[in-house]
Amino acid sequence: MRPEIHFTPERNWMNDPVGLICYQGYYHLFYQYFPYEKRWGTMHWGHAISKDLVSWQHLPVALYPSRLEDCNGCFSGSAVQDGGKMYLYYTGVHYDKVNRENIHESENGLFTSCQLGITSLDGFTFDSHEKKLLIPAITDPYLGSRVHTRDPKVWKDKDGWHMVLGSQYELPGRQGQSGGQLLFYESQDGKSWSYQNRCRMPGEIMVECPDLFQADGSWVFMASLMGRGTGEEPEHLSYAGVADFNAKTGELRADSAKFDLMDNGMDLYAAQTMKDEQGRNVMFAWVRMPKALEGEPWIGMYTLPRVVSVQNGQLRYAVHPYVKEKLQTACRPEECFHTAVRMEAELEEDGKILIGGYQIQRRGGILNTDRSQVFPKEEERWLRQTHTKLTDGRCRLEIYVDHGILEIFVNGGERVITQVVYGMQGTFSCEKVKGLRCWKR
């Protein structure tokens, strides 16, 4: 049984959302996709469209390897519309040496990355033999990495076209050791690009999936940072924060040490945003799964669409109104085991909600969750328990329960906890809870 309101592929492996765009009356969702098995492999771009960000129509694969620069994968990127056309930007990968036992892997972990582009007149038809090489592989290790330079996020404003890439650079005087950085490029036509600036983050190993956008008069920076996790936390985690950015010069001032986790559940990665038809910043992110749900032919799902805003200098994440419009029928909380359900409640001190073995509890100004009973015991580096500090003395929760996943929005989206679950049993109970209400489709 697959989730009802969370996006999943029809079959096989899916990870990063890429190329999110509202174009000619449809929301287009592209995604990194391995169409042959339920595991990571040579990346293609899957494709789906929607009118409401909830109900999706699956379409044929949009991009597939077709030239030397992307023969081992069409990796993460973004989409822009201009002059009635859709422009797709992505990272192409070419392995130095292919694994003889598995052609979908590099034998020595080395490869060449470059940035490519393709255009479409309708957003549905893509000729993979018309791709253009836009930014060749970097050859100067002090400037950036030949291997780890990827994930172009592109946007256009009144001053022209802008691109930010995640990359590495060789630390001066420390041969063989790298730091993370962002590279900025500029263009007047979206086709010919020139280097503009950089933002080095020497404390990071690698910056993946960078995203920069304006919200409520502020610049917001999102990125997935490699090597951040410790203990049972995942190794790679997603962070975000308000930043100081000058698009004309490509100068970004952002202290990665001060970034906040985008999601306290730590299953979330590779977030990307787009503008909806009303100009709101809508975010999707990949929700990692250690294994497929029982009996399902797919693996990988996305968060619900979230509207990202800035309030009093702090980021807030709210479920897109379209999702709430779909869940308007009052129901009992126990129905969450059979269909997607939205719950609202306020936990008092020592309040508790038990959803089929998943526990949510407030204690001493901290909101605790525990999925130990509904998660594979053999899996390592997956967070079982979360501890979220409550900032205003209240614990107002908006909880979305869909088959195999929960998303908990705390105090109007100050914090979010997203976690995958397995084998939830059909029991629901609560203690010291005020104003519990539930809705389904």
Side-chain angles (χ1 to χ4, degrees):
M1 182 177 178
R2 70 173 67 227
E4 290 185 18
I5 58 175
H6 288 79
F7 181 81
T8 59
E10 287 188 297
R11 301 184 64 84
N12 301 316
W13 172 274
M14 179 185 77
N15 53 306
D16 302 11
V18 297
L20 304 179
I21 189 170
C22 181
Y23 176 76
Q24 295 187 2
Y26 288 96
Y27 291 102
H28 290 256
L29 190 161
F30 298 92
Y31 53 94
Q32 281 199 178
Y33 184 50
F34 185 53
Y36 308 124
E37 295 184 68
K38 290 189 293 185
R39 63 178 181 85
W40 189 96
T42 301
M43 285 295 116
H44 298 53
W45 274 33
H47 188 195
I49 57 171
S50 174
K51 288 283 191 180
D52 60 10
L53 297 171
V54 179
S55 301
W56 295 92
Q57 176 187 348
H58 290 277
L59 298 175
V61 166
L63 299 183
Y64 58 86
S66 63
R67 55 182 292 164
L68 182 64
E69 292 91 347
D70 70 4
C71 64
N72 297 117
C74 301
F75 282 78
S76 292
S78 54
V80 179
Q81 63 171 317
D82 184 59
K85 297 180 181 179
M86 179 188 290
Y87 292 73
L88 300 184
Y89 299 88
Y90 71 99
T91 299
V93 164
H94 177 198
Y95 293 156
D96 288 10
K97 190 174 183 180
V98 173
N99 187 328
R100 297 176 65 89
E101 302 299 323
N102 181 357
I103 64 169
H104 301 292
E105 295 179 356
S106 168
E107 184 168 291
N108 56 10
L110 296 177
F111 48 88
T112 297
S113 296
C114 59
Q115 315 313 317
L116 298 102
I118 189 172
T119 60
S120 173
L121 294 175
D122 59 7
F124 296 97
T125 307
F126 305 90
D127 186 348
S128 280
H129 296 284
E130 294 295 325
K131 301 167 183 171
K132 305 298 182 184
L133 176 62
L134 303 178
I135 301 177
I138 294 174
T139 56
D140 180 356
Y142 186 70
L143 172 63
S145 170
R146 169 182 74 93
V147 178
H148 298 297
T149 298
R150 54 180 173 266
D151 308 339
K153 178 62 189 287
V154 179
W155 71 98
K156 184 177 183 288
D157 61 20
K158 61 182 178 60
D159 297 313
W161 297 66
H162 310 270
M163 178 190 295
V164 58
L165 292 164
S167 186
Q168 288 181 325
Y169 70 101
E170 191 171 286
L171 293 171
R174 296 160 66 180
Q175 187 173 4
Q177 295 187 46
S178 299
Q181 67 173 348
L182 301 168
L183 298 177
F184 294 91
Y185 288 76
E186 59 184 348
S187 172
Q188 290 303 308
D189 58 8
K191 301 174 185 177
S192 299
W193 292 86
S194 58
Y195 171 78
Q196 184 185 28
N197 213 329
R198 73 167 88 210
C199 175
R200 287 183 164 174
M201 300 179 180
E204 306 300 337
I205 296 174
M206 172 65 189
V207 183
E208 290 193 303
C209 305
D211 196 354
L212 263 171
F213 57 93
Q214 288 184 292
D216 305 302
S218 299
W219 280 98
V220 176
F221 175 65
M222 293 181 173
S224 295
L225 304 178
M226 299 183 70
R228 273 291 190 101
T230 59
E232 69 172 356
E233 297 173 0
E235 186 176 2
H236 311 317
L237 297 167
S238 291
Y239 288 80
V242 175
D244 182 2
F245 179 63
N246 186 329
K248 290 184 178 181
T249 62
E251 182 180 9
L252 174 69
R253 296 179 181 177
D255 183 355
S256 61
K258 297 180 180 179
F259 294 165
D260 285 330
L261 274 168
M262 290 182 62
D263 193 288
N264 286 30
M266 300 191 193
D267 286 356
L268 178 153
Y269 200 69
Q272 187 176 109
T273 63
M274 65 176 168
K275 300 287 187 182
D276 69 7
E277 74 281 4
Q278 296 187 30
R280 292 172 291 209
N281 295 293
V282 181
M283 184 200 91
F284 282 91
W286 173 39
V287 182
R288 295 175 286 207
M289 303 172 65
K291 64 179 184 179
L293 298 178
E294 185 175 357
E296 292 296 319
W298 55 273
I299 186 168
M301 66 177 92
Y302 290 159
T303 60
L304 294 172
R306 300 178 184 177
V307 176
V308 184
S309 63
V310 178
Q311 300 177 22
N312 298 320
Q314 301 295 317
L315 290 179
R316 296 289 184 271
Y317 305 92
V319 174
H320 197 283
Y322 287 170
V323 179
K324 296 182 181 182
E325 291 172 8
K326 293 289 184 179
L327 305 176
Q328 293 286 340
T329 302
C331 66
R332 295 177 294 106
E334 292 85 356
E335 294 184 56
C336 70
F337 301 109
H338 310 291
T339 188
V341 167
R342 169 182 167 233
M343 302 180 186
E344 286 187 359
E346 182 168 348
L347 287 188
E348 300 177 326
E349 184 62 31
D350 294 322
K352 181 188 298 186
I353 298 175
L354 293 172
I355 307 173
Y358 188 94
Q359 179 173 287
I360 306 169
Q361 186 171 23
R362 178 184 179 181
R363 182 169 294 169
I366 302 292
L367 179 67
N368 304 297
T369 70
D370 189 342
R371 63 172 170 181
S372 302
Q373 301 303 313
V374 285
F375 199 78
K377 291 181 172 55
E378 67 276 10
E379 297 295 337
E380 298 180 357
R381 296 209 76 158
W382 290 82
L383 194 68
R384 267 68 170 183
Q385 300 179 357
T386 72
H387 310 283
T388 303
K389 185 177 180 180
L390 302 171
T391 58
D392 65 357
R394 298 184 66 185
C395 186
R396 303 180 302 277
L397 304 181
E398 185 178 354
I399 306 169
Y400 290 82
V401 186
D402 204 1
H403 189 74
I405 184 171
L406 289 92
E407 294 192 59
I408 305 169
F409 294 78
V410 183
N411 288 336
E414 287 183 351
R415 297 290 180 184
V416 189
I417 303 164
T418 302
Q419 292 195 309
V420 172
V421 292
Y422 296 83
M424 287 203 312
Q425 300 299 313
T427 57
F428 177 94
S429 65
C430 60
E431 302 173 13
K432 296 186 176 181
V433 173
K434 296 192 300 183
L436 176 63
R437 297 186 295 169
C438 303
W439 299 268
K440 64 179 181 179
R441 286 192 186 223

